[in-house]
Amino acid sequence: GQQLNQSPQSMFIQEGEDVSMNCTSSSIFNTWLWYKQDPGEGPVLLIALYKAGELTSNGRLTAQFGITRKDSFLNISASIPSDVGIYFCAGRRSNFGNEKLTFGTGTRLTIIP
Amino acid sequence: EAGVAQSPRYKIIEKRQSVAFWCNPISGHATLYWYQQILGQGPKLLIQFQNNGVVDDSQLPKDRFSAERLKGVDSTLKIQPAKLEDSAVYLCASSFDRNNNYGYTFGSGTRLTVV
């Protein structure tokens, strides 16, 4: 099955730095979602995007739905230790909430002390 | 509200043995999903239920995997016989309905190791 391509695969940053990651697809999605997964836990929803070009914020997190509907971006400002984890993008072809999600390959964020 | 409950949290079995996982979704959630997450990858859908009916099982290896949701609430996922490549985290998730366009809620998963 298809998986979305995320980059970078991993990031090593210092606390307080800003973070940017992106997700690309060969096909169009009409909903983009960003999840964070901590070790031993399931993914937790961070941000949901429903319209091409949409820019949405959730605290220090900002995500954008690409105009082509084939990509999305997530930015984290002023990183803190609890931001450590794996970030996954996920796409849905329709706007129906129970349609399956296709997940990205993940970006692992590590904060260097 | 209570989250999605899964058990067991961990399971170690030998190849060719059988194993079953259980999931209790959030109360009132009609849609239930089982995802497989291999180490270093994103989750991949195995099967989706709407109430007690299967909506999508196109990526379920049906020669060894089976799942049921008999009363439209709890669900079990079974592997028989297990292979080494089945080692993964099995995540259950649920969502309310098609008109609730949010990401669904995941459980903590069952980590399966096949030796």
Side-chain angles (χ1 to χ4, degrees), chain B residues 77-110:
Chain B
L77 175 69
K78 297 179 182 177
I79 307 175
Q80 180 179 9
K83 293 185 175 181
L84 296 176
E85 59 260 36
D86 297 332
S87 294
V89 175
Y90 291 85
L91 294 163
C92 179
S94 68
S95 65
F96 185 57
D97 64 22
R98 66 186 299 168
N99 296 316
N100 179 12
N101 191 10
Y102 296 104
Y104 28 76
T105 304
F106 282 90
S108 298
T110 296

PDB file of all heavy atoms in Angstrom, chain B residues 77-110:
ATOM      1  N   LEU B  77      -8.580  -9.259  16.545  1.00  0.00           N
ATOM      2  CA  LEU B  77      -7.745  -9.509  15.384  1.00  0.00           C
ATOM      3  C   LEU B  77      -6.920 -10.755  15.692  1.00  0.00           C
ATOM      4  O   LEU B  77      -6.310 -10.833  16.758  1.00  0.00           O
ATOM      5  CB  LEU B  77      -6.825  -8.319  15.110  1.00  0.00           C
ATOM      6  CG  LEU B  77      -5.802  -8.462  13.990  1.00  0.00           C
ATOM      7  CD1 LEU B  77      -6.499  -8.502  12.631  1.00  0.00           C
ATOM      8  CD2 LEU B  77      -4.794  -7.319  14.022  1.00  0.00           C
ATOM      9  N   LYS B  78      -6.920 -11.711  14.782  1.00  0.00           N
ATOM     10  CA  LYS B  78      -6.206 -12.969  15.006  1.00  0.00           C
ATOM     11  C   LYS B  78      -5.190 -13.209  13.905  1.00  0.00           C
ATOM     12  O   LYS B  78      -5.435 -12.882  12.732  1.00  0.00           O
ATOM     13  CB  LYS B  78      -7.189 -14.139  15.064  1.00  0.00           C
ATOM     14  CG  LYS B  78      -8.175 -14.073  16.208  1.00  0.00           C
ATOM     15  CD  LYS B  78      -9.130 -15.259  16.191  1.00  0.00           C
ATOM     16  CE  LYS B  78     -10.148 -15.145  17.322  1.00  0.00           C
ATOM     17  NZ  LYS B  78     -11.141 -16.248  17.297  1.00  0.00           N
ATOM     18  N   ILE B  79      -4.077 -13.804  14.301  1.00  0.00           N
ATOM     19  CA  ILE B  79      -3.064 -14.226  13.336  1.00  0.00           C
ATOM     20  C   ILE B  79      -2.820 -15.712  13.562  1.00  0.00           C
ATOM     21  O   ILE B  79      -2.548 -16.146  14.683  1.00  0.00           O
ATOM     22  CB  ILE B  79      -1.734 -13.457  13.520  1.00  0.00           C
ATOM     23  CG1 ILE B  79      -1.969 -11.947  13.519  1.00  0.00           C
ATOM     24  CG2 ILE B  79      -0.770 -13.828  12.392  1.00  0.00           C
ATOM     25  CD1 ILE B  79      -0.703 -11.138  13.816  1.00  0.00           C
ATOM     26  N   GLN B  80      -2.965 -16.494  12.480  1.00  0.00           N
ATOM     27  CA  GLN B  80      -2.780 -17.931  12.605  1.00  0.00           C
ATOM     28  C   GLN B  80      -2.412 -18.532  11.252  1.00  0.00           C
ATOM     29  O   GLN B  80      -3.249 -18.508  10.343  1.00  0.00           O
ATOM     30  CB  GLN B  80      -4.064 -18.580  13.129  1.00  0.00           C
ATOM     31  CG  GLN B  80      -3.986 -20.079  13.300  1.00  0.00           C
ATOM     32  CD  GLN B  80      -5.283 -20.684  13.837  1.00  0.00           C
ATOM     33  OE1 GLN B  80      -6.309 -20.013  13.931  1.00  0.00           O
ATOM     34  NE2 GLN B  80      -5.257 -21.950  14.165  1.00  0.00           N
ATOM     35  N   PRO B  81      -1.219 -19.053  11.052  1.00  0.00           N
ATOM     36  CA  PRO B  81      -0.078 -19.048  11.973  1.00  0.00           C
ATOM     37  C   PRO B  81       0.773 -17.795  11.791  1.00  0.00           C
ATOM     38  O   PRO B  81       0.816 -17.206  10.714  1.00  0.00           O
ATOM     39  CB  PRO B  81       0.699 -20.283  11.509  1.00  0.00           C
ATOM     40  CG  PRO B  81       0.456 -20.301  10.025  1.00  0.00           C
ATOM     41  CD  PRO B  81      -0.948 -19.784   9.824  1.00  0.00           C
ATOM     42  N   ALA B  82       1.460 -17.381  12.841  1.00  0.00           N
ATOM     43  CA  ALA B  82       2.279 -16.172  12.770  1.00  0.00           C
ATOM     44  C   ALA B  82       3.602 -16.435  12.051  1.00  0.00           C
ATOM     45  O   ALA B  82       4.152 -17.544  12.111  1.00  0.00           O
ATOM     46  CB  ALA B  82       2.556 -15.655  14.179  1.00  0.00           C
ATOM     47  N   LYS B  83       4.076 -15.402  11.363  1.00  0.00           N
ATOM     48  CA  LYS B  83       5.383 -15.426  10.712  1.00  0.00           C
ATOM     49  C   LYS B  83       6.271 -14.364  11.359  1.00  0.00           C
ATOM     50  O   LYS B  83       5.776 -13.426  12.008  1.00  0.00           O
ATOM     51  CB  LYS B  83       5.253 -15.133   9.219  1.00  0.00           C
ATOM     52  CG  LYS B  83       4.532 -16.204   8.426  1.00  0.00           C
ATOM     53  CD  LYS B  83       4.565 -15.865   6.944  1.00  0.00           C
ATOM     54  CE  LYS B  83       3.949 -16.977   6.114  1.00  0.00           C
ATOM     55  NZ  LYS B  83       3.986 -16.674   4.660  1.00  0.00           N
ATOM     56  N   LEU B  84       7.576 -14.507  11.131  1.00  0.00           N
ATOM     57  CA  LEU B  84       8.524 -13.547  11.700  1.00  0.00           C
ATOM     58  C   LEU B  84       8.192 -12.117  11.283  1.00  0.00           C
ATOM     59  O   LEU B  84       8.309 -11.179  12.081  1.00  0.00           O
ATOM     60  CB  LEU B  84       9.949 -13.895  11.290  1.00  0.00           C
ATOM     61  CG  LEU B  84      10.506 -15.227  11.802  1.00  0.00           C
ATOM     62  CD1 LEU B  84      11.896 -15.476  11.219  1.00  0.00           C
ATOM     63  CD2 LEU B  84      10.548 -15.259  13.315  1.00  0.00           C
ATOM     64  N   GLU B  85       7.771 -11.948  10.024  1.00  0.00           N
ATOM     65  CA  GLU B  85       7.507 -10.603   9.510  1.00  0.00           C
ATOM     66  C   GLU B  85       6.235  -9.977  10.080  1.00  0.00           C
ATOM     67  O   GLU B  85       5.919  -8.817   9.779  1.00  0.00           O
ATOM     68  CB  GLU B  85       7.422 -10.599   7.981  1.00  0.00           C
ATOM     69  CG  GLU B  85       6.339 -11.508   7.413  1.00  0.00           C
ATOM     70  CD  GLU B  85       6.901 -12.818   6.913  1.00  0.00           C
ATOM     71  OE1 GLU B  85       7.849 -13.326   7.544  1.00  0.00           O
ATOM     72  OE2 GLU B  85       6.374 -13.329   5.909  1.00  0.00           O
ATOM     73  N   ASP B  86       5.503 -10.728  10.896  1.00  0.00           N
ATOM     74  CA  ASP B  86       4.321 -10.160  11.551  1.00  0.00           C
ATOM     75  C   ASP B  86       4.689  -9.370  12.804  1.00  0.00           C
ATOM     76  O   ASP B  86       3.819  -8.738  13.419  1.00  0.00           O
ATOM     77  CB  ASP B  86       3.333 -11.268  11.936  1.00  0.00           C
ATOM     78  CG  ASP B  86       2.794 -12.019  10.735  1.00  0.00           C
ATOM     79  OD1 ASP B  86       2.728 -11.420   9.639  1.00  0.00           O
ATOM     80  OD2 ASP B  86       2.454 -13.209  10.879  1.00  0.00           O
ATOM     81  N   SER B  87       5.960  -9.402  13.184  1.00  0.00           N
ATOM     82  CA  SER B  87       6.406  -8.612  14.331  1.00  0.00           C
ATOM     83  C   SER B  87       6.147  -7.143  14.054  1.00  0.00           C
ATOM     84  O   SER B  87       6.651  -6.583  13.069  1.00  0.00           O
ATOM     85  CB  SER B  87       7.898  -8.838  14.586  1.00  0.00           C
ATOM     86  OG  SER B  87       8.149 -10.170  14.990  1.00  0.00           O
ATOM     87  N   ALA B  88       5.347  -6.512  14.900  1.00  0.00           N
ATOM     88  CA  ALA B  88       4.921  -5.140  14.671  1.00  0.00           C
ATOM     89  C   ALA B  88       4.074  -4.700  15.858  1.00  0.00           C
ATOM     90  O   ALA B  88       3.769  -5.493  16.751  1.00  0.00           O
ATOM     91  CB  ALA B  88       4.082  -5.035  13.389  1.00  0.00           C
ATOM     92  N   VAL B  89       3.692  -3.425  15.833  1.00  0.00           N
ATOM     93  CA  VAL B  89       2.689  -2.932  16.774  1.00  0.00           C
ATOM     94  C   VAL B  89       1.348  -2.924  16.045  1.00  0.00           C
ATOM     95  O   VAL B  89       1.247  -2.427  14.921  1.00  0.00           O
ATOM     96  CB  VAL B  89       3.030  -1.520  17.270  1.00  0.00           C
ATOM     97  CG1 VAL B  89       1.900  -0.976  18.147  1.00  0.00           C
ATOM     98  CG2 VAL B  89       4.343  -1.529  18.042  1.00  0.00           C
ATOM     99  N   TYR B  90       0.342  -3.491  16.685  1.00  0.00           N
ATOM    100  CA  TYR B  90      -1.007  -3.534  16.105  1.00  0.00           C
ATOM    101  C   TYR B  90      -1.857  -2.497  16.836  1.00  0.00           C
ATOM    102  O   TYR B  90      -2.091  -2.599  18.035  1.00  0.00           O
ATOM    103  CB  TYR B  90      -1.587  -4.941  16.184  1.00  0.00           C
ATOM    104  CG  TYR B  90      -0.829  -5.858  15.253  1.00  0.00           C
ATOM    105  CD1 TYR B  90       0.352  -6.468  15.655  1.00  0.00           C
ATOM    106  CD2 TYR B  90      -1.250  -6.050  13.940  1.00  0.00           C
ATOM    107  CE1 TYR B  90       1.094  -7.254  14.779  1.00  0.00           C
ATOM    108  CE2 TYR B  90      -0.530  -6.835  13.064  1.00  0.00           C
ATOM    109  CZ  TYR B  90       0.641  -7.430  13.487  1.00  0.00           C
ATOM    110  OH  TYR B  90       1.373  -8.196  12.613  1.00  0.00           O
ATOM    111  N   LEU B  91      -2.259  -1.496  16.076  1.00  0.00           N
ATOM    112  CA  LEU B  91      -3.001  -0.363  16.619  1.00  0.00           C
ATOM    113  C   LEU B  91      -4.472  -0.473  16.255  1.00  0.00           C
ATOM    114  O   LEU B  91      -4.813  -0.742  15.105  1.00  0.00           O
ATOM    115  CB  LEU B  91      -2.447   0.949  16.050  1.00  0.00           C
ATOM    116  CG  LEU B  91      -1.027   1.327  16.434  1.00  0.00           C
ATOM    117  CD1 LEU B  91      -0.488   2.385  15.484  1.00  0.00           C
ATOM    118  CD2 LEU B  91      -0.984   1.841  17.866  1.00  0.00           C
ATOM    119  N   CYS B  92      -5.320  -0.221  17.226  1.00  0.00           N
ATOM    120  CA  CYS B  92      -6.748  -0.137  16.985  1.00  0.00           C
ATOM    121  C   CYS B  92      -7.139   1.341  17.086  1.00  0.00           C
ATOM    122  O   CYS B  92      -6.579   2.088  17.897  1.00  0.00           O
ATOM    123  CB  CYS B  92      -7.511  -0.963  18.011  1.00  0.00           C
ATOM    124  SG  CYS B  92      -9.304  -0.922  17.819  1.00  0.00           S
ATOM    125  N   ALA B  93      -8.065   1.768  16.268  1.00  0.00           N
ATOM    126  CA  ALA B  93      -8.546   3.149  16.299  1.00  0.00           C
ATOM    127  C   ALA B  93     -10.046   3.152  16.058  1.00  0.00           C
ATOM    128  O   ALA B  93     -10.597   2.197  15.501  1.00  0.00           O
ATOM    129  CB  ALA B  93      -7.834   4.002  15.246  1.00  0.00           C
ATOM    130  N   SER B  94     -10.696   4.224  16.488  1.00  0.00           N
ATOM    131  CA  SER B  94     -12.135   4.324  16.231  1.00  0.00           C
ATOM    132  C   SER B  94     -12.501   5.767  15.902  1.00  0.00           C
ATOM    133  O   SER B  94     -11.803   6.711  16.297  1.00  0.00           O
ATOM    134  CB  SER B  94     -12.947   3.822  17.431  1.00  0.00           C
ATOM    135  OG  SER B  94     -12.825   4.669  18.555  1.00  0.00           O
ATOM    136  N   SER B  95     -13.591   5.927  15.159  1.00  0.00           N
ATOM    137  CA  SER B  95     -14.119   7.255  14.838  1.00  0.00           C
ATOM    138  C   SER B  95     -15.630   7.217  14.903  1.00  0.00           C
ATOM    139  O   SER B  95     -16.244   6.146  14.779  1.00  0.00           O
ATOM    140  CB  SER B  95     -13.643   7.742  13.470  1.00  0.00           C
ATOM    141  OG  SER B  95     -14.153   6.922  12.447  1.00  0.00           O
ATOM    142  N   PHE B  96     -16.226   8.420  15.061  1.00  0.00           N
ATOM    143  CA  PHE B  96     -17.656   8.486  15.332  1.00  0.00           C
ATOM    144  C   PHE B  96     -18.476   8.116  14.101  1.00  0.00           C
ATOM    145  O   PHE B  96     -19.208   7.144  14.095  1.00  0.00           O
ATOM    146  CB  PHE B  96     -18.016   9.888  15.837  1.00  0.00           C
ATOM    147  CG  PHE B  96     -19.441  10.019  16.264  1.00  0.00           C
ATOM    148  CD1 PHE B  96     -19.966   9.199  17.247  1.00  0.00           C
ATOM    149  CD2 PHE B  96     -20.265  10.959  15.676  1.00  0.00           C
ATOM    150  CE1 PHE B  96     -21.288   9.310  17.645  1.00  0.00           C
ATOM    151  CE2 PHE B  96     -21.588  11.081  16.061  1.00  0.00           C
ATOM    152  CZ  PHE B  96     -22.094  10.260  17.045  1.00  0.00           C
ATOM    153  N   ASP B  97     -18.362   8.904  13.081  1.00  0.00           N
ATOM    154  CA  ASP B  97     -19.093   8.614  11.842  1.00  0.00           C
ATOM    155  C   ASP B  97     -18.485   9.398  10.700  1.00  0.00           C
ATOM    156  O   ASP B  97     -17.556  10.149  10.874  1.00  0.00           O
ATOM    157  CB  ASP B  97     -20.594   8.911  11.981  1.00  0.00           C
ATOM    158  CG  ASP B  97     -20.882  10.391  12.215  1.00  0.00           C
ATOM    159  OD1 ASP B  97     -20.047  11.251  11.882  1.00  0.00           O
ATOM    160  OD2 ASP B  97     -21.963  10.691  12.763  1.00  0.00           O
ATOM    161  N   ARG B  98     -19.038   9.226   9.535  1.00  0.00           N
ATOM    162  CA  ARG B  98     -18.457   9.803   8.340  1.00  0.00           C
ATOM    163  C   ARG B  98     -18.533  11.315   8.323  1.00  0.00           C
ATOM    164  O   ARG B  98     -17.810  11.973   7.586  1.00  0.00           O
ATOM    165  CB  ARG B  98     -19.122   9.229   7.102  1.00  0.00           C
ATOM    166  CG  ARG B  98     -20.595   9.602   6.961  1.00  0.00           C
ATOM    167  CD  ARG B  98     -21.221   8.876   5.798  1.00  0.00           C
ATOM    168  NE  ARG B  98     -20.551   9.238   4.561  1.00  0.00           N
ATOM    169  CZ  ARG B  98     -20.731   8.575   3.422  1.00  0.00           C
ATOM    170  NH1 ARG B  98     -21.516   7.517   3.379  1.00  0.00           N
ATOM    171  NH2 ARG B  98     -20.110   8.944   2.321  1.00  0.00           N
ATOM    172  N   ASN B  99     -19.438  11.885   9.108  1.00  0.00           N
ATOM    173  CA  ASN B  99     -19.593  13.327   9.104  1.00  0.00           C
ATOM    174  C   ASN B  99     -18.691  14.020  10.108  1.00  0.00           C
ATOM    175  O   ASN B  99     -18.677  15.250  10.190  1.00  0.00           O
ATOM    176  CB  ASN B  99     -21.046  13.700   9.388  1.00  0.00           C
ATOM    177  CG  ASN B  99     -21.962  13.197   8.287  1.00  0.00           C
ATOM    178  OD1 ASN B  99     -21.658  13.329   7.105  1.00  0.00           O
ATOM    179  ND2 ASN B  99     -23.069  12.592   8.669  1.00  0.00           N
ATOM    180  N   ASN B 100     -17.965  13.232  10.880  1.00  0.00           N
ATOM    181  CA  ASN B 100     -17.054  13.807  11.860  1.00  0.00           C
ATOM    182  C   ASN B 100     -15.667  13.804  11.254  1.00  0.00           C
ATOM    183  O   ASN B 100     -14.931  12.843  11.374  1.00  0.00           O
ATOM    184  CB  ASN B 100     -17.093  12.980  13.140  1.00  0.00           C
ATOM    185  CG  ASN B 100     -16.152  13.527  14.191  1.00  0.00           C
ATOM    186  OD1 ASN B 100     -15.638  14.625  14.069  1.00  0.00           O
ATOM    187  ND2 ASN B 100     -15.923  12.757  15.224  1.00  0.00           N
ATOM    188  N   ASN B 101     -15.322  14.859  10.576  1.00  0.00           N
ATOM    189  CA  ASN B 101     -14.103  14.857   9.777  1.00  0.00           C
ATOM    190  C   ASN B 101     -12.888  15.236  10.602  1.00  0.00           C
ATOM    191  O   ASN B 101     -12.257  16.265  10.367  1.00  0.00           O
ATOM    192  CB  ASN B 101     -14.259  15.790   8.576  1.00  0.00           C
ATOM    193  CG  ASN B 101     -13.124  15.617   7.594  1.00  0.00           C
ATOM    194  OD1 ASN B 101     -12.327  14.693   7.695  1.00  0.00           O
ATOM    195  ND2 ASN B 101     -13.031  16.524   6.650  1.00  0.00           N
ATOM    196  N   TYR B 102     -12.586  14.435  11.593  1.00  0.00           N
ATOM    197  CA  TYR B 102     -11.372  14.605  12.361  1.00  0.00           C
ATOM    198  C   TYR B 102     -10.579  13.321  12.266  1.00  0.00           C
ATOM    199  O   TYR B 102     -11.099  12.290  11.908  1.00  0.00           O
ATOM    200  CB  TYR B 102     -11.694  14.900  13.828  1.00  0.00           C
ATOM    201  CG  TYR B 102     -12.428  16.200  14.021  1.00  0.00           C
ATOM    202  CD1 TYR B 102     -13.790  16.210  14.277  1.00  0.00           C
ATOM    203  CD2 TYR B 102     -11.774  17.417  13.925  1.00  0.00           C
ATOM    204  CE1 TYR B 102     -14.477  17.394  14.436  1.00  0.00           C
ATOM    205  CE2 TYR B 102     -12.452  18.610  14.088  1.00  0.00           C
ATOM    206  CZ  TYR B 102     -13.802  18.592  14.348  1.00  0.00           C
ATOM    207  OH  TYR B 102     -14.475  19.756  14.508  1.00  0.00           O
ATOM    208  N   GLY B 103      -9.325  13.386  12.594  1.00  0.00           N
ATOM    209  CA  GLY B 103      -8.551  12.166  12.704  1.00  0.00           C
ATOM    210  C   GLY B 103      -9.136  11.319  13.796  1.00  0.00           C
ATOM    211  O   GLY B 103      -9.683  11.822  14.754  1.00  0.00           O
ATOM    212  N   TYR B 104      -9.042  10.022  13.644  1.00  0.00           N
ATOM    213  CA  TYR B 104      -9.652   9.196  14.666  1.00  0.00           C
ATOM    214  C   TYR B 104      -8.709   8.980  15.845  1.00  0.00           C
ATOM    215  O   TYR B 104      -7.560   9.397  15.816  1.00  0.00           O
ATOM    216  CB  TYR B 104     -10.136   7.869  14.097  1.00  0.00           C
ATOM    217  CG  TYR B 104      -9.392   7.337  12.896  1.00  0.00           C
ATOM    218  CD1 TYR B 104      -8.156   6.749  13.029  1.00  0.00           C
ATOM    219  CD2 TYR B 104      -9.971   7.407  11.634  1.00  0.00           C
ATOM    220  CE1 TYR B 104      -7.493   6.233  11.926  1.00  0.00           C
ATOM    221  CE2 TYR B 104      -9.317   6.892  10.528  1.00  0.00           C
ATOM    222  CZ  TYR B 104      -8.084   6.298  10.674  1.00  0.00           C
ATOM    223  OH  TYR B 104      -7.444   5.790   9.573  1.00  0.00           O
ATOM    224  N   THR B 105      -9.218   8.330  16.892  1.00  0.00           N
ATOM    225  CA  THR B 105      -8.469   8.128  18.131  1.00  0.00           C
ATOM    226  C   THR B 105      -7.856   6.743  18.136  1.00  0.00           C
ATOM    227  O   THR B 105      -8.556   5.751  17.917  1.00  0.00           O
ATOM    228  CB  THR B 105      -9.400   8.299  19.340  1.00  0.00           C
ATOM    229  OG1 THR B 105     -10.023   9.583  19.279  1.00  0.00           O
ATOM    230  CG2 THR B 105      -8.610   8.185  20.640  1.00  0.00           C
ATOM    231  N   PHE B 106      -6.562   6.703  18.426  1.00  0.00           N
ATOM    232  CA  PHE B 106      -5.848   5.433  18.477  1.00  0.00           C
ATOM    233  C   PHE B 106      -5.734   4.916  19.907  1.00  0.00           C
ATOM    234  O   PHE B 106      -5.663   5.689  20.859  1.00  0.00           O
ATOM    235  CB  PHE B 106      -4.421   5.603  17.941  1.00  0.00           C
ATOM    236  CG  PHE B 106      -4.327   5.659  16.450  1.00  0.00           C
ATOM    237  CD1 PHE B 106      -4.404   6.869  15.784  1.00  0.00           C
ATOM    238  CD2 PHE B 106      -4.149   4.503  15.707  1.00  0.00           C
ATOM    239  CE1 PHE B 106      -4.310   6.935  14.403  1.00  0.00           C
ATOM    240  CE2 PHE B 106      -4.053   4.559  14.326  1.00  0.00           C
ATOM    241  CZ  PHE B 106      -4.137   5.773  13.673  1.00  0.00           C
ATOM    242  N   GLY B 107      -5.671   3.596  20.041  1.00  0.00           N
ATOM    243  CA  GLY B 107      -5.276   2.975  21.288  1.00  0.00           C
ATOM    244  C   GLY B 107      -3.756   2.954  21.400  1.00  0.00           C
ATOM    245  O   GLY B 107      -3.044   3.417  20.501  1.00  0.00           O
ATOM    246  N   SER B 108      -3.263   2.417  22.515  1.00  0.00           N
ATOM    247  CA  SER B 108      -1.813   2.382  22.747  1.00  0.00           C
ATOM    248  C   SER B 108      -1.126   1.262  21.994  1.00  0.00           C
ATOM    249  O   SER B 108       0.095   1.234  21.904  1.00  0.00           O
ATOM    250  CB  SER B 108      -1.524   2.249  24.240  1.00  0.00           C
ATOM    251  OG  SER B 108      -2.022   3.366  24.931  1.00  0.00           O
ATOM    252  N   GLY B 109      -1.895   0.323  21.467  1.00  0.00           N
ATOM    253  CA  GLY B 109      -1.324  -0.720  20.629  1.00  0.00           C
ATOM    254  C   GLY B 109      -0.915  -1.966  21.386  1.00  0.00           C
ATOM    255  O   GLY B 109      -0.754  -1.968  22.615  1.00  0.00           O
ATOM    256  N   THR B 110      -0.749  -3.042  20.622  1.00  0.00           N
ATOM    257  CA  THR B 110      -0.185  -4.298  21.127  1.00  0.00           C
ATOM    258  C   THR B 110       1.100  -4.554  20.356  1.00  0.00           C
ATOM    259  O   THR B 110       1.079  -4.621  19.130  1.00  0.00           O
ATOM    260  CB  THR B 110      -1.143  -5.482  20.909  1.00  0.00           C
ATOM    261  OG1 THR B 110      -2.327  -5.284  21.672  1.00  0.00           O
ATOM    262  CG2 THR B 110      -0.478  -6.794  21.316  1.00  0.00           C
TER     263      THR B 110
END
